[in-house]
Amino acid sequence: MNAPTFSLPNQNGEMISLKDYLGKKVVLYFYPRDSTPGCTTEACDFRDALPKMEGAVVLGVSADSQKKHQNFIAKNDLPFDLLVDENHEVSESYGVWQLKKNYGKEYYGIVRSTFLIGEDGQIEKEWRNVKVNGHVEEVVTAIRS
């Protein structure tokens, strides 16, 4: 299946397009919010696993602002771009913007999900409703297989 294409601003306002990475594997991960415990653990796990990812590009996506992304990157020394999807158009195109329930409240937000996109722009593997613990190891295994 073709990965939905997109162009989104990163933490510095530079436009990042999926097509810029044709010829490389891309780990596109969607997460609910910067600086929350699960999202921080996931981002740091991706950071720490980068050397094992055989040159794959990691891109994080949330609806947070550039400023929040900048702070999150600086606080956790993240070496990859975080993309701003404030209108959740890209999140919707990947089917991760969904109705969620928390403490009896219903709201729309990003369901933690990761997509491994091959060099040809095809989705090779997807993980939906991700549990953070052990997830990045699964992604690394998929990249290497």
Side-chain angles (χ1 to χ4, degrees):
M1 180 175 122
N2 270 336
T5 58
F6 61 82
S7 292
L8 285 174
N10 70 2
Q11 65 280 354
N12 301 318
E14 300 158 354
M15 291 307 285
I16 302 293
S17 297
L18 185 58
K19 68 179 188 304
D20 297 340
Y21 298 105
L22 280 173
K24 291 188 172 197
K25 286 191 186 277
V26 175
V27 175
L28 183 67
Y29 82 97
F30 292 84
Y31 64 98
R33 292 185 59 200
D34 290 337
S35 301
T36 56
C39 296
T40 300
T41 298
E42 185 179 29
C44 292
D45 286 352
F46 275 120
R47 174 198 67 204
D48 296 346
L50 263 179
K52 297 184 263 182
M53 290 191 176
E54 299 181 350
V57 174
V58 174
L59 298 171
V61 181
S62 81
D64 288 310
S65 67
Q66 287 179 28
K67 186 80 185 127
K68 284 184 179 173
H69 281 348
Q70 288 170 350
N71 293 340
F72 191 44
I73 287 169
K75 189 173 176 188
N76 297 290
D77 197 27
L78 302 179
F80 48 82
D81 284 319
L82 298 179
L83 308 183
V84 178
D85 190 22
E86 286 176 313
N87 300 327
H88 39 84
E89 287 171 21
V90 175
S91 301
E92 287 179 32
S93 73
Y94 279 83
V96 302
W97 186 261
Q98 297 175 15
L99 188 63
K100 299 168 81 174
K101 277 187 182 168
N102 198 8
Y103 299 111
K105 282 190 177 151
E106 287 190 339
Y107 60 96
Y108 278 90
I110 290 177
V111 174
R112 190 182 313 279
S113 305
T114 302
F115 298 85
L116 177 58
I117 301 167
E119 293 94 338
D120 57 0
Q122 299 288 310
I123 294 176
E124 292 184 354
K125 190 155 177 60
E126 58 184 67
W127 296 263
R128 293 179 181 270
N129 296 309
V130 166
K131 302 286 177 263
V132 172
N133 288 344
H135 172 59
V136 172
E137 289 84 5
E138 290 177 17
V139 175
V140 169
T141 300
I143 289 168
R144 294 176 146 197
S145 64

